[in-house]
Every structure is written in structure tokens, then in C-alpha cells.
Amino acid sequence: MKDAVSAALRERVRSRAYGVCEYCLIHQRQAWYSHQIDHIISRKHGGRTTFDNLALACGICNNAKGSDLGSLTRRQAVLIRFYHPRNDRWAEHFRLNDDGVIDPITEIGEVTCRIFGFNARERLLERRALLRAGDFPSIEALALMRE
Ligand SMILES: [Zn+2]
């Protein structure tokens, strides 16, 4: 395939993210399916297969995002882009509450949280179980959040 992600590039992306989904922060070892390589700006919209345009995403986040770049805010129906793992800092757009809920704190956070389904029931139950086990956020996710 013309624009395929090479094994070496995949490994660099995985390594940069410490094996953590760069959107919902679940670690690869905590997920049922292998994390995927996401084109932050999808190829459909001209995004290239370059290190800076790739992110590590869990299957749920990647499927929910699809080729979308953003969505409309609930209140004013204004088009807002999604969280961009290369240009944005996670903690500036989201807050992880003690009960496992990921709360958006910006409009970028709001559209990302809603479209990606961060707080869907099953995902919240899983996150709460990991919280109780003391494994969320993982040490790798904390490192990612600090960058
Ligand atoms: Zn995810």
C-alpha cells in the first residue's frame, strides 16, 4: 500500500507513547486488542504518514474517531477540532476524576470526549476497576501526561 506505516515507524510511535493510548490513556497491556496507529489528521483530509502526524490509539478511540477531525459543540453547534496529541497537552483539555470519569475542561476536550466515548459505560467500569487496582493512570500514562 502506498501510504502504509512501516514496522519501524509503528515502533517509534508506540515507544514515544509508552504503549499508552494518547487519547483515553489506557495502556496496551490493559486493552483487549492491540493499540493502533492513528493518523491524527486522517489521510482523507490530507494527513501524511509521518511521525508527527501519527499517534498511538486504542481500538475504541481509533474506531470512534474514524476519519473525523472534530465535531460541533453541544451548546452553540460550533465546529471544534479534536484534541491533537502532538500540539496539545492532555491535562489542559481533560481532567481525570477520582471516580474514573474523564471530564473535558475545554471545548476541544468536550468534542473529543463525546465523540471518542471516553465515558461510555463499559469504558468507565473498566477504568474504575483499574483505578481500584491502582493501575490507572498507569505509570506510563502519567509520564505521557507530564509531557
Ligand atoms: Zn483510547
Side-chain angles (χ1 to χ4, degrees):
M1 189 163 48
K2 175 180 156 237
D3 223 14
V5 184
S6 71
L9 189 51
R10 283 175 185 276
E11 192 43 47
R12 285 179 66 206
V13 172
R14 263 181 221 289
S15 172
R16 175 179 58 194
Y18 308 112
V20 172
C21 172
E22 297 188 62
Y23 297 102
C24 74
L25 302 181
I26 196 146
H27 193 278
Q28 172 64 75
R29 70 172 174 273
Q30 300 166 328
W32 283 99
Y33 299 103
S34 292
H35 282 10
Q36 303 167 354
I37 305 299
D38 164 53
H39 284 75
I40 300 168
I41 304 300
S42 59
R43 285 180 280 202
K44 179 180 179 179
H45 293 286
R48 308 277 311 275
T49 302
T50 56
F51 190 52
D52 286 346
N53 189 44
L54 299 176
L56 190 64
C58 71
I60 298 173
C61 283
N62 205 22
N63 284 339
K65 180 178 179 244
S67 62
D68 294 355
L69 303 177
S71 187
L72 304 175
T73 57
R74 277 222 165 110
R75 272 184 294 159
Q76 295 179 312
V78 175
L79 181 61
I80 298 289
R81 69 172 174 84
F82 288 143
Y83 169 75
H84 190 300
R86 298 283 74 75
N87 300 336
D88 299 324
R89 300 194 65 234
W90 198 91
E92 287 175 4
H93 297 282
F94 312 101
R95 182 179 47 227
L96 176 65
N97 290 327
D98 293 343
D99 63 357
V101 171
I102 295 175
D103 271 335
I105 51 179
T106 62
E107 288 185 320
I108 288 170
E110 183 215 311
V111 296
T112 305
C113 192
R114 179 163 41 82
I115 298 299
F116 286 51
F118 283 175
N119 297 310
R121 187 171 177 277
E122 306 75 29
R123 302 181 81 182
L124 195 50
L125 290 173
E126 181 180 46
R127 205 177 299 128
R128 284 176 175 157
L130 290 168
L131 265 171
R132 278 194 303 274
D135 200 21
F136 195 89
S138 63
I139 194 145
E140 295 89 349
L142 287 170
L144 192 67
M145 289 164 78
R146 274 196 298 271
E147 288 178 355

